[in-house]
PDB file of all heavy atoms in Angstrom:
ATOM      1  N   ASN A 274     109.681 108.028  97.026  1.00  0.00           N
ATOM      2  CA  ASN A 274     109.049 106.843  97.612  1.00  0.00           C
ATOM      3  C   ASN A 274     110.062 105.730  97.866  1.00  0.00           C
ATOM      4  O   ASN A 274     109.920 104.964  98.825  1.00  0.00           O
ATOM      5  CB  ASN A 274     107.951 106.314  96.692  1.00  0.00           C
ATOM      6  CG  ASN A 274     106.705 107.191  96.707  1.00  0.00           C
ATOM      7  OD1 ASN A 274     106.383 107.802  97.723  1.00  0.00           O
ATOM      8  ND2 ASN A 274     106.019 107.273  95.584  1.00  0.00           N
ATOM      9  N   ARG A 275     111.060 105.634  97.010  1.00  0.00           N
ATOM     10  CA  ARG A 275     112.035 104.544  97.132  1.00  0.00           C
ATOM     11  C   ARG A 275     112.826 104.645  98.420  1.00  0.00           C
ATOM     12  O   ARG A 275     113.326 103.640  98.931  1.00  0.00           O
ATOM     13  CB  ARG A 275     112.967 104.561  95.917  1.00  0.00           C
ATOM     14  CG  ARG A 275     113.705 103.250  95.715  1.00  0.00           C
ATOM     15  CD  ARG A 275     114.455 103.222  94.399  1.00  0.00           C
ATOM     16  NE  ARG A 275     115.583 104.146  94.420  1.00  0.00           N
ATOM     17  CZ  ARG A 275     115.769 105.114  93.533  1.00  0.00           C
ATOM     18  NH1 ARG A 275     114.879 105.283  92.564  1.00  0.00           N
ATOM     19  NH2 ARG A 275     116.810 105.915  93.607  1.00  0.00           N
ATOM     20  N   ARG A 276     112.933 105.868  98.977  1.00  0.00           N
ATOM     21  CA  ARG A 276     113.660 106.016 100.237  1.00  0.00           C
ATOM     22  C   ARG A 276     113.027 105.206 101.354  1.00  0.00           C
ATOM     23  O   ARG A 276     113.717 104.706 102.243  1.00  0.00           O
ATOM     24  CB  ARG A 276     113.723 107.496 100.630  1.00  0.00           C
ATOM     25  CG  ARG A 276     114.811 108.268  99.901  1.00  0.00           C
ATOM     26  CD  ARG A 276     114.856 109.709 100.349  1.00  0.00           C
ATOM     27  NE  ARG A 276     113.681 110.459  99.916  1.00  0.00           N
ATOM     28  CZ  ARG A 276     113.526 111.764 100.084  1.00  0.00           C
ATOM     29  NH1 ARG A 276     114.453 112.459 100.711  1.00  0.00           N
ATOM     30  NH2 ARG A 276     112.446 112.368  99.648  1.00  0.00           N
ATOM     31  N   VAL A 277     111.697 105.081 101.329  1.00  0.00           N
ATOM     32  CA  VAL A 277     111.019 104.283 102.349  1.00  0.00           C
ATOM     33  C   VAL A 277     111.430 102.819 102.229  1.00  0.00           C
ATOM     34  O   VAL A 277     111.684 102.135 103.228  1.00  0.00           O
ATOM     35  CB  VAL A 277     109.489 104.433 102.217  1.00  0.00           C
ATOM     36  CG1 VAL A 277     108.769 103.568 103.250  1.00  0.00           C
ATOM     37  CG2 VAL A 277     109.084 105.895 102.365  1.00  0.00           C
ATOM     38  N   ILE A 278     111.511 102.321 100.993  1.00  0.00           N
ATOM     39  CA  ILE A 278     111.906 100.935 100.759  1.00  0.00           C
ATOM     40  C   ILE A 278     113.369 100.724 101.147  1.00  0.00           C
ATOM     41  O   ILE A 278     113.707  99.754 101.841  1.00  0.00           O
ATOM     42  CB  ILE A 278     111.687 100.556  99.280  1.00  0.00           C
ATOM     43  CG1 ILE A 278     110.219 100.773  98.894  1.00  0.00           C
ATOM     44  CG2 ILE A 278     112.099  99.116  99.003  1.00  0.00           C
ATOM     45  CD1 ILE A 278     109.935 100.572  97.428  1.00  0.00           C
ATOM     46  N   ALA A 279     114.231 101.624 100.692  1.00  0.00           N
ATOM     47  CA  ALA A 279     115.663 101.491 100.975  1.00  0.00           C
ATOM     48  C   ALA A 279     115.937 101.478 102.474  1.00  0.00           C
ATOM     49  O   ALA A 279     116.794 100.741 102.960  1.00  0.00           O
ATOM     50  CB  ALA A 279     116.434 102.624 100.300  1.00  0.00           C
ATOM     51  N   GLN A 280     115.191 102.296 103.220  1.00  0.00           N
ATOM     52  CA  GLN A 280     115.377 102.349 104.668  1.00  0.00           C
ATOM     53  C   GLN A 280     115.085 101.000 105.311  1.00  0.00           C
ATOM     54  O   GLN A 280     115.801 100.552 106.205  1.00  0.00           O
ATOM     55  CB  GLN A 280     114.464 103.424 105.264  1.00  0.00           C
ATOM     56  CG  GLN A 280     114.560 103.561 106.773  1.00  0.00           C
ATOM     57  CD  GLN A 280     113.500 104.486 107.332  1.00  0.00           C
ATOM     58  OE1 GLN A 280     112.443 104.674 106.732  1.00  0.00           O
ATOM     59  NE2 GLN A 280     113.783 105.081 108.479  1.00  0.00           N
ATOM     60  N   GLN A 281     114.028 100.329 104.861  1.00  0.00           N
ATOM     61  CA  GLN A 281     113.663  99.035 105.441  1.00  0.00           C
ATOM     62  C   GLN A 281     114.661  97.943 105.044  1.00  0.00           C
ATOM     63  O   GLN A 281     114.959  97.045 105.832  1.00  0.00           O
ATOM     64  CB  GLN A 281     112.251  98.641 104.986  1.00  0.00           C
ATOM     65  CG  GLN A 281     111.157  99.579 105.469  1.00  0.00           C
ATOM     66  CD  GLN A 281     111.005  99.563 106.979  1.00  0.00           C
ATOM     67  OE1 GLN A 281     111.330  98.584 107.641  1.00  0.00           O
ATOM     68  NE2 GLN A 281     110.505 100.661 107.532  1.00  0.00           N
ATOM     69  N   MET A 282     115.183  98.023 103.820  1.00  0.00           N
ATOM     70  CA  MET A 282     116.123  97.001 103.352  1.00  0.00           C
ATOM     71  C   MET A 282     117.506  97.152 103.968  1.00  0.00           C
ATOM     72  O   MET A 282     118.282  96.200 103.987  1.00  0.00           O
ATOM     73  CB  MET A 282     116.232  97.069 101.830  1.00  0.00           C
ATOM     74  CG  MET A 282     115.000  96.570 101.105  1.00  0.00           C
ATOM     75  SD  MET A 282     115.225  96.615  99.309  1.00  0.00           S
ATOM     76  CE  MET A 282     113.881  95.526  98.794  1.00  0.00           C
ATOM     77  N   ALA A 283     117.817  98.349 104.477  1.00  0.00           N
ATOM     78  CA  ALA A 283     119.149  98.610 105.013  1.00  0.00           C
ATOM     79  C   ALA A 283     119.260  98.311 106.502  1.00  0.00           C
ATOM     80  O   ALA A 283     120.341  98.466 107.081  1.00  0.00           O
ATOM     81  CB  ALA A 283     119.540 100.065 104.743  1.00  0.00           C
ATOM     82  N   GLN A 284     118.167  97.901 107.150  1.00  0.00           N
ATOM     83  CA  GLN A 284     118.197  97.658 108.587  1.00  0.00           C
ATOM     84  C   GLN A 284     118.989  96.395 108.923  1.00  0.00           C
ATOM     85  O   GLN A 284     119.212  95.525 108.069  1.00  0.00           O
ATOM     86  CB  GLN A 284     116.772  97.530 109.122  1.00  0.00           C
ATOM     87  CG  GLN A 284     115.919  98.764 108.927  1.00  0.00           C
ATOM     88  CD  GLN A 284     116.462  99.965 109.673  1.00  0.00           C
ATOM     89  OE1 GLN A 284     116.936  99.852 110.798  1.00  0.00           O
ATOM     90  NE2 GLN A 284     116.408 101.129 109.027  1.00  0.00           N
ATOM     91  N   LYS A 285     119.398  96.290 110.185  1.00  0.00           N
ATOM     92  CA  LYS A 285     120.149  95.117 110.630  1.00  0.00           C
ATOM     93  C   LYS A 285     119.300  93.854 110.466  1.00  0.00           C
ATOM     94  O   LYS A 285     119.822  92.788 110.097  1.00  0.00           O
ATOM     95  CB  LYS A 285     120.582  95.290 112.088  1.00  0.00           C
ATOM     96  CG  LYS A 285     121.480  94.181 112.599  1.00  0.00           C
ATOM     97  CD  LYS A 285     122.012  94.495 113.993  1.00  0.00           C
ATOM     98  CE  LYS A 285     122.944  95.703 113.968  1.00  0.00           C
ATOM     99  NZ  LYS A 285     123.578  95.923 115.292  1.00  0.00           N
ATOM    100  N   ALA A 286     118.016  93.963 110.767  1.00  0.00           N
ATOM    101  CA  ALA A 286     117.074  92.876 110.460  1.00  0.00           C
ATOM    102  C   ALA A 286     116.335  93.312 109.197  1.00  0.00           C
ATOM    103  O   ALA A 286     115.317  93.986 109.266  1.00  0.00           O
ATOM    104  CB  ALA A 286     116.105  92.656 111.615  1.00  0.00           C
ATOM    105  N   PRO A 287     116.865  92.972 108.016  1.00  0.00           N
ATOM    106  CA  PRO A 287     116.379  93.601 106.784  1.00  0.00           C
ATOM    107  C   PRO A 287     115.063  93.021 106.280  1.00  0.00           C
ATOM    108  O   PRO A 287     114.578  91.997 106.754  1.00  0.00           O
ATOM    109  CB  PRO A 287     117.505  93.313 105.792  1.00  0.00           C
ATOM    110  CG  PRO A 287     118.057  91.999 106.250  1.00  0.00           C
ATOM    111  CD  PRO A 287     117.952  92.024 107.755  1.00  0.00           C
ATOM    112  N   LEU A 288     114.550  93.714 105.290  1.00  0.00           N
ATOM    113  CA  LEU A 288     113.373  93.286 104.545  1.00  0.00           C
ATOM    114  C   LEU A 288     113.807  93.021 103.118  1.00  0.00           C
ATOM    115  O   LEU A 288     114.666  93.716 102.581  1.00  0.00           O
ATOM    116  CB  LEU A 288     112.311  94.384 104.567  1.00  0.00           C
ATOM    117  CG  LEU A 288     111.049  94.130 103.739  1.00  0.00           C
ATOM    118  CD1 LEU A 288     110.009  93.429 104.592  1.00  0.00           C
ATOM    119  CD2 LEU A 288     110.490  95.441 103.211  1.00  0.00           C
ATOM    120  N   SER A 289     113.239  91.994 102.487  1.00  0.00           N
ATOM    121  CA  SER A 289     113.523  91.734 101.079  1.00  0.00           C
ATOM    122  C   SER A 289     112.220  91.650 100.311  1.00  0.00           C
ATOM    123  O   SER A 289     111.144  91.447 100.890  1.00  0.00           O
ATOM    124  CB  SER A 289     114.319  90.439 100.910  1.00  0.00           C
ATOM    125  OG  SER A 289     113.567  89.319 101.348  1.00  0.00           O
ATOM    126  N   LEU A 290     112.314  91.811  99.011  1.00  0.00           N
ATOM    127  CA  LEU A 290     111.142  91.723  98.144  1.00  0.00           C
ATOM    128  C   LEU A 290     111.030  90.305  97.602  1.00  0.00           C
ATOM    129  O   LEU A 290     111.915  89.838  96.872  1.00  0.00           O
ATOM    130  CB  LEU A 290     111.237  92.728  97.000  1.00  0.00           C
ATOM    131  CG  LEU A 290     111.254  94.202  97.405  1.00  0.00           C
ATOM    132  CD1 LEU A 290     111.342  95.090  96.176  1.00  0.00           C
ATOM    133  CD2 LEU A 290     110.027  94.550  98.233  1.00  0.00           C
ATOM    134  N   ALA A 291     109.959  89.634  97.967  1.00  0.00           N
ATOM    135  CA  ALA A 291     109.737  88.277  97.489  1.00  0.00           C
ATOM    136  C   ALA A 291     109.146  88.257  96.084  1.00  0.00           C
ATOM    137  O   ALA A 291     109.285  87.270  95.359  1.00  0.00           O
ATOM    138  CB  ALA A 291     108.799  87.533  98.449  1.00  0.00           C
ATOM    139  N   PHE A 292     108.503  89.362  95.709  1.00  0.00           N
ATOM    140  CA  PHE A 292     107.792  89.421  94.423  1.00  0.00           C
ATOM    141  C   PHE A 292     107.611  90.888  94.082  1.00  0.00           C
ATOM    142  O   PHE A 292     107.334  91.709  94.961  1.00  0.00           O
ATOM    143  CB  PHE A 292     106.433  88.737  94.574  1.00  0.00           C
ATOM    144  CG  PHE A 292     105.531  88.817  93.368  1.00  0.00           C
ATOM    145  CD1 PHE A 292     105.564  87.831  92.390  1.00  0.00           C
ATOM    146  CD2 PHE A 292     104.643  89.866  93.217  1.00  0.00           C
ATOM    147  CE1 PHE A 292     104.719  87.894  91.301  1.00  0.00           C
ATOM    148  CE2 PHE A 292     103.799  89.936  92.125  1.00  0.00           C
ATOM    149  CZ  PHE A 292     103.841  88.946  91.164  1.00  0.00           C
ATOM    150  N   ALA A 293     107.780  91.225  92.809  1.00  0.00           N
ATOM    151  CA  ALA A 293     107.600  92.619  92.415  1.00  0.00           C
ATOM    152  C   ALA A 293     107.222  92.723  90.946  1.00  0.00           C
ATOM    153  O   ALA A 293     107.737  91.985  90.103  1.00  0.00           O
ATOM    154  CB  ALA A 293     108.880  93.423  92.673  1.00  0.00           C
ATOM    155  N   ILE A 294     106.284  93.627  90.658  1.00  0.00           N
ATOM    156  CA  ILE A 294     105.985  94.070  89.301  1.00  0.00           C
ATOM    157  C   ILE A 294     106.102  95.591  89.350  1.00  0.00           C
ATOM    158  O   ILE A 294     105.211  96.260  89.856  1.00  0.00           O
ATOM    159  CB  ILE A 294     104.580  93.653  88.835  1.00  0.00           C
ATOM    160  CG1 ILE A 294     104.362  92.142  89.005  1.00  0.00           C
ATOM    161  CG2 ILE A 294     104.355  94.053  87.383  1.00  0.00           C
ATOM    162  CD1 ILE A 294     102.964  91.682  88.650  1.00  0.00           C
ATOM    163  N   PRO A 295     107.181  96.165  88.830  1.00  0.00           N
ATOM    164  CA  PRO A 295     107.400  97.605  89.000  1.00  0.00           C
ATOM    165  C   PRO A 295     106.452  98.490  88.199  1.00  0.00           C
ATOM    166  O   PRO A 295     106.184  99.612  88.601  1.00  0.00           O
ATOM    167  CB  PRO A 295     108.851  97.805  88.539  1.00  0.00           C
ATOM    168  CG  PRO A 295     109.449  96.435  88.504  1.00  0.00           C
ATOM    169  CD  PRO A 295     108.334  95.498  88.222  1.00  0.00           C
ATOM    170  N   ASP A 296     105.958  97.992  87.052  1.00  0.00           N
ATOM    171  CA  ASP A 296     105.143  98.843  86.184  1.00  0.00           C
ATOM    172  C   ASP A 296     104.050  97.986  85.549  1.00  0.00           C
ATOM    173  O   ASP A 296     104.320  97.165  84.680  1.00  0.00           O
ATOM    174  CB  ASP A 296     106.013  99.489  85.108  1.00  0.00           C
ATOM    175  CG  ASP A 296     105.243 100.516  84.297  1.00  0.00           C
ATOM    176  OD1 ASP A 296     104.489 101.301  84.902  1.00  0.00           O
ATOM    177  OD2 ASP A 296     105.391 100.530  83.065  1.00  0.00           O
ATOM    178  N   HIS A 297     102.823  98.186  85.985  1.00  0.00           N
ATOM    179  CA  HIS A 297     101.712  97.299  85.639  1.00  0.00           C
ATOM    180  C   HIS A 297     100.536  98.155  85.185  1.00  0.00           C
ATOM    181  O   HIS A 297     100.260  99.199  85.770  1.00  0.00           O
ATOM    182  CB  HIS A 297     101.342  96.495  86.898  1.00  0.00           C
ATOM    183  CG  HIS A 297     100.337  95.414  86.697  1.00  0.00           C
ATOM    184  ND1 HIS A 297      99.015  95.653  86.384  1.00  0.00           N
ATOM    185  CD2 HIS A 297     100.451  94.071  86.799  1.00  0.00           C
ATOM    186  CE1 HIS A 297      98.375  94.507  86.301  1.00  0.00           C
ATOM    187  NE2 HIS A 297      99.225  93.534  86.544  1.00  0.00           N
ATOM    188  N   PRO A 298      99.809  97.757  84.145  1.00  0.00           N
ATOM    189  CA  PRO A 298      98.683  98.566  83.672  1.00  0.00           C
ATOM    190  C   PRO A 298      97.493  98.513  84.608  1.00  0.00           C
ATOM    191  O   PRO A 298      97.314  97.563  85.373  1.00  0.00           O
ATOM    192  CB  PRO A 298      98.342  97.938  82.316  1.00  0.00           C
ATOM    193  CG  PRO A 298      98.801  96.522  82.446  1.00  0.00           C
ATOM    194  CD  PRO A 298     100.022  96.562  83.315  1.00  0.00           C
ATOM    195  N   TRP A 299      96.686  99.521  84.509  1.00  0.00           N
ATOM    196  CA  TRP A 299      95.519  99.660  85.385  1.00  0.00           C
ATOM    197  C   TRP A 299      94.488 100.512  84.670  1.00  0.00           C
ATOM    198  O   TRP A 299      94.833 101.446  83.950  1.00  0.00           O
ATOM    199  CB  TRP A 299      95.948 100.351  86.678  1.00  0.00           C
ATOM    200  CG  TRP A 299      94.853 100.584  87.677  1.00  0.00           C
ATOM    201  CD1 TRP A 299      93.900 101.558  87.660  1.00  0.00           C
ATOM    202  CD2 TRP A 299      94.609  99.835  88.863  1.00  0.00           C
ATOM    203  NE1 TRP A 299      93.085 101.464  88.757  1.00  0.00           N
ATOM    204  CE2 TRP A 299      93.503 100.404  89.508  1.00  0.00           C
ATOM    205  CE3 TRP A 299      95.237  98.734  89.448  1.00  0.00           C
ATOM    206  CZ2 TRP A 299      92.998  99.916  90.706  1.00  0.00           C
ATOM    207  CZ3 TRP A 299      94.734  98.261  90.637  1.00  0.00           C
ATOM    208  CH2 TRP A 299      93.634  98.842  91.262  1.00  0.00           C
ATOM    209  N   VAL A 300      93.222 100.214  84.874  1.00  0.00           N
ATOM    210  CA  VAL A 300      92.151 101.073  84.376  1.00  0.00           C
ATOM    211  C   VAL A 300      91.204 101.352  85.521  1.00  0.00           C
ATOM    212  O   VAL A 300      90.719 100.432  86.183  1.00  0.00           O
ATOM    213  CB  VAL A 300      91.381 100.417  83.209  1.00  0.00           C
ATOM    214  CG1 VAL A 300      90.118 101.190  82.905  1.00  0.00           C
ATOM    215  CG2 VAL A 300      92.250 100.375  81.970  1.00  0.00           C
ATOM    216  N   ASP A 301      90.953 102.631  85.795  1.00  0.00           N
ATOM    217  CA  ASP A 301      89.976 103.045  86.798  1.00  0.00           C
ATOM    218  C   ASP A 301      88.590 102.747  86.231  1.00  0.00           C
ATOM    219  O   ASP A 301      88.174 103.323  85.234  1.00  0.00           O
ATOM    220  CB  ASP A 301      90.132 104.529  87.079  1.00  0.00           C
ATOM    221  CG  ASP A 301      89.252 105.011  88.222  1.00  0.00           C
ATOM    222  OD1 ASP A 301      88.214 104.366  88.463  1.00  0.00           O
ATOM    223  OD2 ASP A 301      89.594 106.013  88.849  1.00  0.00           O
ATOM    224  N   THR A 302      87.855 101.818  86.886  1.00  0.00           N
ATOM    225  CA  THR A 302      86.584 101.383  86.324  1.00  0.00           C
ATOM    226  C   THR A 302      85.521 102.462  86.352  1.00  0.00           C
ATOM    227  O   THR A 302      84.520 102.365  85.653  1.00  0.00           O
ATOM    228  CB  THR A 302      86.059 100.159  87.090  1.00  0.00           C
ATOM    229  OG1 THR A 302      85.948 100.483  88.475  1.00  0.00           O
ATOM    230  CG2 THR A 302      86.982  98.977  86.923  1.00  0.00           C
ATOM    231  N   ALA A 303      85.701 103.515  87.144  1.00  0.00           N
ATOM    232  CA  ALA A 303      84.669 104.546  87.233  1.00  0.00           C
ATOM    233  C   ALA A 303      84.692 105.477  86.020  1.00  0.00           C
ATOM    234  O   ALA A 303      83.655 105.883  85.516  1.00  0.00           O
ATOM    235  CB  ALA A 303      84.825 105.353  88.516  1.00  0.00           C
ATOM    236  N   ASP A 304      85.895 105.819  85.550  1.00  0.00           N
ATOM    237  CA  ASP A 304      85.952 106.761  84.436  1.00  0.00           C
ATOM    238  C   ASP A 304      86.883 106.316  83.314  1.00  0.00           C
ATOM    239  O   ASP A 304      87.080 107.041  82.347  1.00  0.00           O
ATOM    240  CB  ASP A 304      86.384 108.147  84.930  1.00  0.00           C
ATOM    241  CG  ASP A 304      87.735 108.120  85.647  1.00  0.00           C
ATOM    242  OD1 ASP A 304      88.471 107.125  85.502  1.00  0.00           O
ATOM    243  OD2 ASP A 304      88.049 109.101  86.340  1.00  0.00           O
ATOM    244  N   GLY A 305      87.438 105.112  83.422  1.00  0.00           N
ATOM    245  CA  GLY A 305      88.280 104.603  82.360  1.00  0.00           C
ATOM    246  C   GLY A 305      89.670 105.209  82.315  1.00  0.00           C
ATOM    247  O   GLY A 305      90.409 104.983  81.365  1.00  0.00           O
ATOM    248  N   ALA A 306      90.051 105.996  83.323  1.00  0.00           N
ATOM    249  CA  ALA A 306      91.366 106.641  83.316  1.00  0.00           C
ATOM    250  C   ALA A 306      92.476 105.595  83.414  1.00  0.00           C
ATOM    251  O   ALA A 306      92.384 104.642  84.183  1.00  0.00           O
ATOM    252  CB  ALA A 306      91.472 107.626  84.470  1.00  0.00           C
ATOM    253  N   ALA A 307      93.524 105.774  82.627  1.00  0.00           N
ATOM    254  CA  ALA A 307      94.660 104.860  82.645  1.00  0.00           C
ATOM    255  C   ALA A 307      95.615 105.244  83.767  1.00  0.00           C
ATOM    256  O   ALA A 307      95.951 106.409  83.940  1.00  0.00           O
ATOM    257  CB  ALA A 307      95.382 104.898  81.308  1.00  0.00           C
ATOM    258  N   VAL A 308      96.034 104.257  84.544  1.00  0.00           N
ATOM    259  CA  VAL A 308      96.951 104.461  85.664  1.00  0.00           C
ATOM    260  C   VAL A 308      97.998 103.369  85.592  1.00  0.00           C
ATOM    261  O   VAL A 308      97.715 102.261  85.136  1.00  0.00           O
ATOM    262  CB  VAL A 308      96.211 104.397  87.023  1.00  0.00           C
ATOM    263  CG1 VAL A 308      97.166 104.680  88.167  1.00  0.00           C
ATOM    264  CG2 VAL A 308      95.055 105.367  87.056  1.00  0.00           C
ATOM    265  N   ARG A 309      99.202 103.665  86.004  1.00  0.00           N
ATOM    266  CA  ARG A 309     100.251 102.655  86.091  1.00  0.00           C
ATOM    267  C   ARG A 309     100.501 102.358  87.567  1.00  0.00           C
ATOM    268  O   ARG A 309     100.593 103.262  88.383  1.00  0.00           O
ATOM    269  CB  ARG A 309     101.550 103.153  85.449  1.00  0.00           C
ATOM    270  CG  ARG A 309     101.405 103.683  84.047  1.00  0.00           C
ATOM    271  CD  ARG A 309     100.914 102.658  83.071  1.00  0.00           C
ATOM    272  NE  ARG A 309     101.827 101.543  82.889  1.00  0.00           N
ATOM    273  CZ  ARG A 309     101.671 100.614  81.951  1.00  0.00           C
ATOM    274  NH1 ARG A 309     100.643 100.678  81.119  1.00  0.00           N
ATOM    275  NH2 ARG A 309     102.526  99.605  81.850  1.00  0.00           N
ATOM    276  N   ILE A 310     100.597 101.096  87.899  1.00  0.00           N
ATOM    277  CA  ILE A 310     100.762 100.700  89.291  1.00  0.00           C
ATOM    278  C   ILE A 310     102.004  99.829  89.455  1.00  0.00           C
ATOM    279  O   ILE A 310     102.609  99.397  88.479  1.00  0.00           O
ATOM    280  CB  ILE A 310      99.533  99.921  89.804  1.00  0.00           C
ATOM    281  CG1 ILE A 310      99.398  98.588  89.071  1.00  0.00           C
ATOM    282  CG2 ILE A 310      98.270 100.754  89.677  1.00  0.00           C
ATOM    283  CD1 ILE A 310      98.461  97.620  89.727  1.00  0.00           C
ATOM    284  N   ALA A 311     102.349  99.576  90.710  1.00  0.00           N
ATOM    285  CA  ALA A 311     103.396  98.618  91.061  1.00  0.00           C
ATOM    286  C   ALA A 311     102.829  97.663  92.101  1.00  0.00           C
ATOM    287  O   ALA A 311     101.965  98.032  92.898  1.00  0.00           O
ATOM    288  CB  ALA A 311     104.630  99.328  91.606  1.00  0.00           C
ATOM    289  N   MET A 312     103.295  96.429  92.074  1.00  0.00           N
ATOM    290  CA  MET A 312     102.940  95.443  93.092  1.00  0.00           C
ATOM    291  C   MET A 312     104.223  94.987  93.763  1.00  0.00           C
ATOM    292  O   MET A 312     105.206  94.668  93.089  1.00  0.00           O
ATOM    293  CB  MET A 312     102.236  94.235  92.480  1.00  0.00           C
ATOM    294  CG  MET A 312     100.912  94.534  91.822  1.00  0.00           C
ATOM    295  SD  MET A 312     100.106  92.997  91.262  1.00  0.00           S
ATOM    296  CE  MET A 312      98.648  93.676  90.452  1.00  0.00           C
ATOM    297  N   THR A 313     104.228  94.958  95.089  1.00  0.00           N
ATOM    298  CA  THR A 313     105.394  94.492  95.832  1.00  0.00           C
ATOM    299  C   THR A 313     104.956  93.587  96.966  1.00  0.00           C
ATOM    300  O   THR A 313     103.927  93.825  97.601  1.00  0.00           O
ATOM    301  CB  THR A 313     106.211  95.664  96.407  1.00  0.00           C
ATOM    302  OG1 THR A 313     105.320  96.571  97.091  1.00  0.00           O
ATOM    303  CG2 THR A 313     106.960  96.407  95.331  1.00  0.00           C
TER     304      THR A 313
END
């Protein structure tokens, strides 16, 4: 997945991350399953 991000950041008109949480807790409200998410 990181290749998609790296490709955008390496362009002549680049993209940068203004905010990021790489590893964030999550609970699926339907069945209580634990999931880890990222926010960018």
Side-chain angles (χ1 to χ4, degrees):
N274 286 328
R275 198 171 69 236
R276 279 182 291 186
V277 178
I278 302 174
Q280 179 188 25
Q281 296 295 334
M282 289 182 163
Q284 299 297 320
K285 185 173 294 186
L288 176 90
S289 63
L290 297 180
F292 175 91
I294 307 176
D296 187 43
H297 187 292
W299 179 282
V300 168
D301 186 334
T302 57
D304 57 16
V308 183
R309 308 298 296 189
I310 66 165
M312 297 185 183
T313 49

